[in-house]
Amino acid sequence: MRRPTIVDIAKAAGVSKGSVSYALNGRPGVSEETRRRILAIAHDLGWAPSSPARALSSGGRVGAIGLVIDRPAHVLGVEPFFMQFVSGIEAELTGSGVDLLLQVTEEHQAEVAAYRRWAAEQRVDGVIIVDVRTEDPRFEAVQKTFLPTVVLGGPEGIGSLPCLYTDESAPMREVVHYLGALGHQRIARIAGPEYFVHTGKRTRAFLEAAEEAGVAEVYTEHADYTGEAGTRITRRLLTRTDRPTALVYDNDLMAVAGLGVARELGVDVPSQLSIVAWDDSTLCGLVRPALTAVVRDVVSYGREAARMLVKVVSGERVQSKEISPGELQPRASTGLLLS
């Protein structure tokens, strides 16, 4: 089946193409009765304007913003952070007439290609970029195509693009000082990929906080946010003769997997091992013991990012904005080290 056109609407309504164009674009030239009839037929046929046509009739805007998430699809489906972030975007766009175009890629260059294609095809009015990388090629790509952009991350390394950022170091310091106060002197962190800027910021804060708190030994292992990686690395760490007594995970999915490994190996949580997840989610509250976590209002991040981008698209000058950092929420997975 082919996509219905204004020719199909004109034939069904028994009017000219010009009359259909007037009716669909809200212009004078047809009676109100004819306009209502044409709109009803267009609805019944499932007609919708193409992106280029919509742009021509609305001052260059197509009524959509884009988000590319560079994660394997099977990971994205179970990772709560992005589901909450997307729900925040959708909540902000509801009733605005602006849609969200979401694409998942599994290779960084494919993400850059998506921005270029969207700009060339006029598929979106602007984009939200997430997961800032060191020497990130996406910023040059969107600026060369004049694609309005808001970045989740920064503010360093993103040029003149407006961004929504948070202090990654404050909650990490809180986590390390808390674990130190519970008696932990050997803390391991299972982090995200090393090339993400926020991973580096957390790592630096992790090391600095350990020195401040007098924690004797800390180290970081890098993973890809999957439960499989969390399982593999946790098993390796907990079978060492000098195993850590506390584990800090960069996402909830790896933390839940790590808790499963501790049970498998007979390591009691929290008397022998404390576990902290970053970020909090429903998963953290459902497992037993419930996971101590860094709590952030990710939905509000999505709402604010969408709000900022809509303003950028409309031509407003938008300043970068710092949002509140996460806070530690102690639960049953952390406690005084007993053995």
Side-chain angles (χ1 to χ4, degrees), residues 118 134 138 146 170 197-198 209 226 265 291 304 318 320 331:
W118 284 352
T134 54
R138 295 175 295 176
F146 303 100
V197 170
H198 69 260
T226 63
L265 297 176
L291 294 177
E304 185 60 32
V318 175
S320 294
R331 296 195 181 100

Side-chain angles (χ1 to χ4, degrees), residues 58 117 285 338:
S58 59
R117 185 177 68 255
L338 301 181

Side-chain angles (χ1 to χ4, degrees), residues 232-295:
R232 183 178 63 255
I233 294 173
T234 304
R235 185 176 290 119
R236 184 172 75 245
L237 292 174
L238 294 186
T239 52
R240 292 171 47 159
T241 54
D242 59 343
R243 73 185 185 203
T245 62
L247 297 174
V248 181
Y249 294 84
D250 263 16
N251 80 342
D252 48 352
L253 194 58
M254 293 193 296
V256 170
L259 177 61
V261 172
R263 286 176 175 166
E264 168 195 324
L265 297 176
V267 179
D268 184 69
V269 177
S271 67
Q272 295 176 300
L273 175 72
S274 283
I275 294 178
V276 178
W278 189 318
D279 297 287
D280 191 24
S281 72
T282 302
L283 283 176
C284 295
L286 289 177
V287 295
R288 291 293 179 270
L291 294 177
T292 293
V294 174
V295 179

Side-chain angles (χ1 to χ4, degrees), residues 61 148 308-318:
R61 299 180 196 167
M308 289 173 65
L309 183 56
V310 168
K311 290 180 180 179
V312 173
V313 168
S314 67
E316 292 186 42
R317 185 174 179 81
V318 175

